[in-house]
Amino acid sequence: KGSDIPLLDYLEASTSSYVANTEIQNERESQETQTDLTLSRNSPRKQLLKRRIVMLQRKIYRLQKKEINKNKVEMEDSSIEHYFNLTDHFLPPSVAKFVKNQALLHQQSKKGRKYTAEYKEFCLNIYFCNAKCYDLLSETFYLPTKRTLQRMIISSDIYCILCIDEASLKASLFYNISRDEVIGFEDVGNGKSFSPSCNVAVLMIRGMCRSWKQPLGYYFLHSTFPADQLKLIITEAISKLQGIGLKVVALITDMGSNFIQTAKLLKVTESPYFIINNKHIAYFFDPPHLQKACRNNFLNNVIIANGKQISWTHIEQLYAINSKKENRLAPKLTDSHMRPTNFERMKV
């Protein structure tokens, strides 16, 4: 028994030594077989996790930015509404409207600005008044470009006025060999007559918004245009112009007897316009002819207004007194105005 104790101690010591050696050997083997940190740092699994982290960070950044912009827009909306209320309170309506437009345009980018039709019409009026002034204002305020205004003008080119006038011709006949036709007879569109033409009637349209004009036709006449035929020609011309997209808004003629009769046939005496294809066409006599007719009536007649007489002698007295002064009140009055000849009375 005394010899058993050392044997047990020996076995226990050897066992513990074996276990320790085994653990050391296993640890060495694990260290030798474990993947190096530099190699495992960019493994596919870790790269996937890194990408997910970056995506989540970007998503968080976008959400934060969106929230900041939302708060900023809400603050701007509240401040703009307050600003608009102040403009309505302290400024006249027309000025307040202009200031509001400037505030709204200031928030838009240069290439994304949108102008209302009313604002463009306002700017177009400024441009028509003075183009240089418009250029000067464009340097300070947000105004449409000239190209924008020009496109706006082009859209209004369809509005036009029909003009009809007559002129005297020297009666003459000649034979056109190439056409085998005698030129110089009356021709109103439905065939020639054997009467020599002494007058010509011309139809022309002219733009209202822009300076353009286009002759439509002419008619050789022996005398003035008959009113009934003139009415048919006017109706046909306006109908064809409406058919191609033009908008005829007015008809202008002189004060010849045939045109006055035509106005009566069109029932313009009852209203200032006549109707063709459900469109109202205003009828105007040429203003220079109206002035001439008033002047000629004033030469031969006395006008009574509010119980008082207005006579041409009053103008003659003014001219007699005024002509003796160095600084005249009516410097453009001449003898031809005061005592016009028969030809000058007809001159427009």
Side-chain angles (χ1 to χ4, degrees):
K1 291 181 180 179
S3 61
D4 291 338
I5 294 173
L7 180 60
L8 291 173
D9 293 336
Y10 173 76
L11 291 174
E12 185 178 356
S14 62
T15 302
S16 60
S17 176
Y18 175 76
V19 171
N21 292 331
T22 303
E23 289 178 355
I24 293 171
Q25 185 177 0
N26 290 335
E27 185 177 356
R28 289 177 179 176
E29 290 178 357
S30 65
Q31 290 179 354
E32 292 176 356
T33 58
Q34 187 176 5
T35 305
D36 188 26
L37 184 61
T38 57
L39 297 176
S40 63
R41 184 177 299 168
N42 293 321
S43 63
R45 184 176 65 85
K46 290 185 178 180
Q47 289 181 358
L48 179 61
L49 292 174
K50 287 180 180 179
R51 285 196 295 269
R52 288 182 179 177
I53 292 172
V54 172
M55 290 175 62
L56 291 174
Q57 288 176 346
R58 290 178 178 176
K59 187 175 181 180
I60 293 171
Y61 175 75
R62 286 196 298 267
L63 291 174
Q64 291 176 348
K65 188 176 181 180
K66 186 176 180 180
E67 186 68 21
I68 293 172
N69 291 334
K70 183 179 179 181
N71 296 333
K72 186 178 179 180
V73 169
E74 290 178 354
M75 292 178 62
E76 288 180 353
D77 290 341
S78 61
S79 60
I80 286 180
E81 290 179 359
H82 180 64
Y83 177 71
F84 286 172
N85 292 331
L86 292 176
T87 56
D88 291 334
H89 181 71
F90 290 103
L91 296 176
S94 58
V95 180
K97 186 181 295 184
F98 178 77
V99 173
K100 289 178 183 178
N101 285 325
Q102 294 299 307
L104 293 174
L105 293 171
H106 181 68
Q107 294 180 332
Q108 302 174 7
S109 62
K110 184 176 181 180
K111 295 184 179 180
R113 293 182 187 135
K114 295 182 179 180
Y115 306 96
T116 61
E118 183 181 4
Y119 186 72
K120 287 191 287 188
E121 186 176 353
F122 169 75
C123 296
L124 189 62
N125 291 331
I126 299 176
Y127 179 74
F128 282 153
C129 291
N130 195 320
K132 292 184 179 180
C133 179
Y134 187 83
D135 294 336
L136 181 62
L137 293 175
S138 299
E139 298 177 0
T140 306
F141 301 105
Y142 297 109
L143 302 179
T145 60
K146 291 183 179 180
R147 180 64 62 86
T148 302
L149 298 180
Q150 289 173 357
R151 286 197 297 265
M152 183 179 177
I153 295 173
I154 292 173
S155 63
S156 59
D157 281 350
I158 59 176
Y159 295 95
C160 61
I161 296 174
L162 176 62
C163 306
I164 304 177
D165 196 9
E166 293 181 346
S168 299
L169 298 177
K170 182 180 179 180
S172 177
L173 300 175
F174 74 95
Y175 177 68
N176 190 328
I177 299 176
S178 60
R179 296 172 59 181
D180 190 21
E181 182 181 6
V182 177
I183 306 298
F185 287 119
E186 182 182 32
D187 186 1
V188 293
N190 54 2
K192 292 184 178 181
S193 67
F194 292 104
S195 301
S197 59
C198 300
N199 292 299
V200 62
V202 180
L203 278 72
M204 184 181 70
I205 55 174
R206 187 177 184 87
M208 287 189 62
C209 301
R210 296 186 67 184
S211 181
W212 63 267
K213 54 186 176 181
Q214 176 63 47
L216 297 181
Y218 56 89
Y219 301 89
F220 291 114
L221 308 169
H222 178 64
S223 60
T224 58
F225 223 137
D228 53 348
Q229 293 184 1
L230 193 57
K231 177 185 175 183
L232 295 176
I233 290 174
I234 291 172
T235 304
E236 182 182 2
I238 293 177
S239 298
K240 289 185 177 181
L241 292 172
Q242 292 174 346
I244 62 174
L246 293 178
K247 295 184 178 181
V248 183
V249 297
L251 170 66
I252 296 179
T253 64
D254 59 19
M255 296 185 65
S257 58
N258 57 335
F259 290 113
I260 294 176
Q261 184 64 28
T262 303
K264 293 180 180 179
L265 293 177
L266 293 172
K267 298 181 180 180
V268 177
T269 54
E270 300 176 1
S271 59
Y273 56 84
F274 57 97
I275 300 175
I276 295 179
N277 297 329
N278 296 325
K279 301 294 182 181
H280 290 73
I281 313 296
Y283 195 112
F284 294 100
F285 290 114
D286 193 13
H289 286 85
L290 288 173
Q291 293 178 353
K292 181 191 72 174
C294 291
R295 191 271 315 272
N296 292 339
N297 286 327
F298 198 32
L299 283 170
N300 302 323
N301 301 287
V302 176
I303 300 175
I304 300 176
N306 298 326
K308 297 182 179 180
Q309 291 186 355
I310 304 174
S311 175
W312 186 259
T313 56
H314 298 150
I315 300 177
E316 290 178 344
Q317 292 173 3
L318 171 65
Y319 178 71
I321 297 172
N322 197 35
S323 60
K324 299 177 182 179
K325 295 182 179 180
E326 183 177 357
N327 296 323
R328 299 181 180 181
L329 296 176
K332 293 187 178 181
L333 278 180
T334 62
D335 291 337
S336 61
H337 293 118
M338 303 309 301
R339 291 174 288 275
T341 61
N342 292 333
F343 178 76
E344 289 174 341
R345 289 191 179 196
M346 297 301 297
K347 186 178 179 181
V348 179

